[in-house]
Amino acid sequence: MNGIRRLVLQNVRPRTLCAHYSARAAPQRPKQTRLSAQSNLGPSAMSAHQVFAPLTKGCPVFKISQPITVLREPQQFYKQLIHGIKHAQRHICLSSLYIGSEETELVAELKNALARNTKLQVRVLLDCLRGTRTDSAGMSSAALLAPLVQQFGEERVQVFMYHTPALSGLSKQAWPQRYNETFGLQHIKAYIFDDDVIISGANLSRDYFTNRQDRYMRISDSQFSDYFVRLVSTIGQFSFRVLNGDQATGYKLEMADGVADPTRDPREFVREANELMAQFLHRAEIEHAVEAGSISEHDTLAIPTVQMRQLGITQDESHMREFFELVHAFARNYKSRSLMASAYFNFSDQYKRSVLDSASRWDLLVASPQANGFYTAQGISQYIPDMYSIIEHEFAHMARARNDISIEEYMRDGWTFHGKGVWSYLNQPLPQLTMIGSPNYGYRSIYRDLEAQVTVVPGNTQLQKDIHQEALGLLAHSKIVSQDELKQRTRGSPLWLRGLKPFVMKKM
């Protein structure tokens, strides 16, 4: 089983920024580049489905026959959520980091849907640390959802709160709210309404519905939907459940009978959680395996992968390593380019090395300091955007010998950026693959948090165009930054800030 370990014990100029992703022209590069020096630059005889065929090994693969919808704006995302809640007949399954305590309308829609349809079941998976963090009014995600459990019963409403095993005992008591979340989180973002699944990196709070840019893709397929419902249910088996009870908080948390408490017995918890996840992934791989010869270039493939290294699950990590190797091998003989986005310039060392060593052109898209969610923060958090600029400058210095690696920053007045994913064009004007989901491709995504993403290999031109336009839409609000610009920006940064870099790279 691939990736599973049994444990023992400002001003923006869209045309300039988007020119190298135009459907009309190939990327413009200086004449003396590694790629232009290659002798064979003609079209590849292999299709994208052939190039990326190894990605289907060790993972469940779904052939999607219905059109996939690529959403572009937060408002569209919210409308789809409300539409899904209102029209679901069998089940609603929401997996997020948290639900904003102000989202009374969203919870009211869930309540109305449950009241209208007595056969409807609702499952919600959130992170325990983030989901129990209280706002200034003392409200939390758990307190917001507990009345649904009380009114409709556990048979119809289940609210799961995953708790990391990395924070237990005295450490859990010592670390305050917000800071305790650096140890590990439930970070998977998937929103399921019967056979429809919205894969995203967005959480369920007001800024993600208004002016915090993310990515969103709706996939309609009964088997694909069932995979994510079972994933959430499996994680729910080793998560706390929100029950009605405590008068002070409005709820109480309980683990299922016979399951180790991660805050009291983390070693046993990890063993049990690993066993449950390994069984789930093994079953999914067997049930949804495909033979290479059965895949046509007209098939749209959706390949979900999960990462839970604290629980011994490294499926997505292995999947990403394979992807980088495939792109590099292809680019040694043909022109190739890929775009990789993250909310923060905090890519893991292995991903940065994969980009630097790749024969392919790479463009990295991240939030500008002004579009960083911490830009208006108070206290020490206000320095986090400066720290990311320091890390960004160090990478630009490492890439100085390459003229086919660029860094672009999302900058849109009044907006923040939370998008993440990959668009791989190979040597074609339209993307041949995209990855979408929760990982930010940093240390946390690999080592600390629960993550899930979906690799989509389009089987038709319309979907390729939609994915391409999504990338162009993000780049239209982005600006290429140079090493000199980053050097100037970080000049004068206090030494103590640079000293915090190891903490930020591994915790944020």
Side-chain angles (χ1 to χ4, degrees):
M1 290 177 286
N2 187 23
I4 304 172
R5 290 187 291 114
R6 300 280 187 176
L7 296 189
V8 254
L9 145 160
Q10 299 107 13
N11 292 326
V12 179
R13 296 174 295 174
R15 288 187 180 179
T16 301
L17 298 177
C18 300
H20 54 271
Y21 283 91
S22 168
R24 297 181 179 179
Q28 299 299 312
R29 311 184 188 196
K31 289 184 179 180
Q32 299 301 321
T33 68
R34 180 158 41 159
L35 287 177
S36 61
Q38 296 289 343
S39 58
N40 186 355
L41 297 178
S44 168
M46 298 177 67
S47 70
H49 289 68
Q50 292 173 312
V51 173
F52 294 124
L55 296 180
T56 64
K57 304 300 181 184
C59 299
V61 181
F62 300 87
K63 294 182 180 180
I64 309 300
S65 58
Q66 296 297 315
I68 291 177
T69 303
V70 180
L71 307 175
R72 301 272 296 278
E73 296 287 340
Q75 296 85 353
Q76 293 177 304
F77 171 53
Y78 186 68
K79 287 180 180 179
Q80 286 293 319
L81 289 174
I82 298 301
H83 180 273
I85 293 172
K86 287 183 175 180
H87 291 85
Q89 297 298 310
R90 304 188 309 277
H91 56 248
I92 295 171
C93 189
L94 309 177
S95 175
S96 186
L97 174 61
Y98 67 100
I99 296 179
S101 56
E102 75 284 354
E103 293 308 319
T104 54
E105 179 185 4
L106 187 73
V107 176
E109 291 293 351
L110 287 171
K111 178 180 177 180
N112 293 338
L114 285 161
R116 283 194 306 268
N117 181 358
T118 58
K119 295 182 179 179
L120 183 67
Q121 292 189 323
V122 172
R123 296 182 183 90
V124 181
L125 170 64
L126 305 175
D127 180 72
C128 190
L129 298 174
R130 185 65 178 86
T132 56
R133 188 212 293 183
T134 53
D135 61 14
S136 58
M139 182 58 70
S140 65
S141 303
L144 193 66
L145 294 168
L148 294 181
V149 180
Q150 179 186 31
Q151 181 173 352
F152 298 101
E154 287 185 73
E155 297 77 16
R156 296 186 61 202
V157 180
Q158 296 176 316
V159 180
F160 305 121
M161 293 275 178
Y162 170 83
H163 192 293
T164 174
L167 186 65
S168 61
L170 294 177
S171 294
K172 179 173 174 58
Q173 300 176 34
W175 284 85
Q177 286 189 355
R178 187 179 181 90
Y179 296 100
N180 58 10
E181 296 167 24
T182 61
F183 285 85
L185 297 168
Q186 192 303 112
H187 202 243
I188 297 169
K189 323 293 174 61
Y191 309 106
I192 304 104
F193 312 97
D194 292 341
D195 295 342
D196 292 340
V197 183
I198 299 176
I199 297 297
S200 181
N203 293 304
L204 299 177
S205 66
R206 188 52 39 185
D207 51 345
Y208 289 94
F209 304 149
T210 53
N211 62 345
R212 188 154 173 76
Q213 182 67 59
D214 213 298
R215 298 182 66 205
Y216 336 86
M217 182 177 289
R218 190 184 70 195
I219 300 175
S220 298
D221 182 271
S222 60
Q223 292 186 337
F224 185 75
S225 169
D226 181 64
Y227 168 89
F228 274 96
V229 170
R230 285 164 49 196
L231 172 62
V232 168
S233 298
T234 301
I235 298 172
Q237 291 183 56
F238 50 86
S239 297
F240 287 102
R241 296 192 179 194
V242 174
L243 304 175
N244 209 63
D246 190 280
Q247 289 186 346
T249 62
Y251 66 90
K252 63 180 179 180
L253 300 177
E254 287 187 1
M255 291 293 291
D257 292 339
V259 179
D261 185 330
T263 68
R264 297 177 179 177
D265 191 353
R267 289 177 62 87
E268 177 60 19
F269 170 83
V270 168
R271 188 194 68 79
E272 294 176 2
N274 172 266
E275 185 68 24
L276 288 167
M277 280 304 306
Q279 291 174 1
F280 164 75
L281 291 174
H282 182 58
R283 176 182 172 185
E285 178 186 341
I286 292 175
E287 290 181 351
H288 303 290
V290 296
E291 296 294 332
S294 69
I295 297 176
S296 161
E297 63 183 39
H298 300 296
D299 290 325
T300 292
L301 306 180
I303 310 167
T305 49
V306 299
Q307 181 74 9
M308 305 174 178
R309 186 177 261 268
Q310 288 185 345
L311 306 182
I313 305 299
T314 59
Q315 185 185 50
D316 188 64
E317 182 181 350
S318 300
H319 186 78
M320 289 296 294
R321 185 185 305 114
E322 183 77 40
F323 166 73
F324 279 115
E325 291 174 356
L326 293 172
V327 169
H328 172 65
F330 182 90
R332 293 176 64 184
N333 297 300
Y334 309 100
K335 281 185 177 181
S336 175
R337 72 190 191 282
S338 294
L339 168 68
M340 189 175 191
S342 176
Y344 317 102
F345 198 101
N346 196 16
F347 299 104
S348 69
D349 288 341
Q350 51 261 59
Y351 292 166
K352 285 190 288 188
R353 179 49 53 192
S354 294
V355 169
L356 290 169
D357 292 344
S358 178
S360 175
R361 172 181 182 143
W362 280 92
D363 296 272
L364 305 178
L365 174 63
V366 296
S368 67
Q370 296 82 358
N372 189 295
F374 293 99
Y375 186 67
T376 58
Q378 301 297 316
I380 195 171
S381 295
Q382 67 183 298
Y383 295 101
I384 291 177
D386 295 331
M387 176 58 68
Y388 287 131
S389 291
I390 291 173
I391 299 171
E392 198 172 331
H393 174 248
E394 290 180 353
F395 178 83
H397 181 73
M398 293 169 63
R400 66 191 182 281
R402 294 281 300 268
N403 49 24
D404 55 358
I405 295 178
S406 69
I407 300 173
E408 310 208 18
E409 291 184 344
Y410 187 92
M411 188 181 300
R412 188 176 180 183
D413 189 33
W415 285 62
T416 57
F417 183 69
H418 197 250
K420 67 270 295 181
V422 172
W423 297 255
S424 185
Y425 286 73
L426 296 182
N427 63 339
Q428 300 299 316
L430 294 175
Q432 309 297 298
L433 171 150
T434 191
M435 295 180 179
I436 181 171
S438 64
N440 278 300
Y441 306 119
Y443 182 94
R444 284 197 63 134
S445 296
I446 297 175
Y447 292 95
R448 296 191 182 277
D449 298 341
L450 304 193
E451 306 278 13
Q453 69 174 344
V454 178
T455 298
V456 176
V457 182
N460 61 80
T461 303
Q462 185 57 56
L463 179 56
Q464 289 178 297
K465 288 180 178 179
D466 290 344
I467 296 169
H468 179 61
Q469 288 301 316
E470 177 197 31
L472 289 183
L474 298 177
L475 292 171
H477 295 287
S478 304
K479 173 190 172 205
I480 297 176
V481 291
S482 66
Q483 181 185 350
D484 289 341
E485 182 177 346
L486 291 167
K487 181 179 180 180
Q488 183 64 31
R489 184 193 298 171
T490 57
R491 181 173 293 169
S493 298
L495 291 177
W496 65 264
L497 184 60
R498 296 179 181 272
L500 284 177
K501 190 182 72 169
F503 176 84
V504 172
M505 291 185 71
K506 291 187 177 184
K507 296 285 189 178
M508 304 303 293

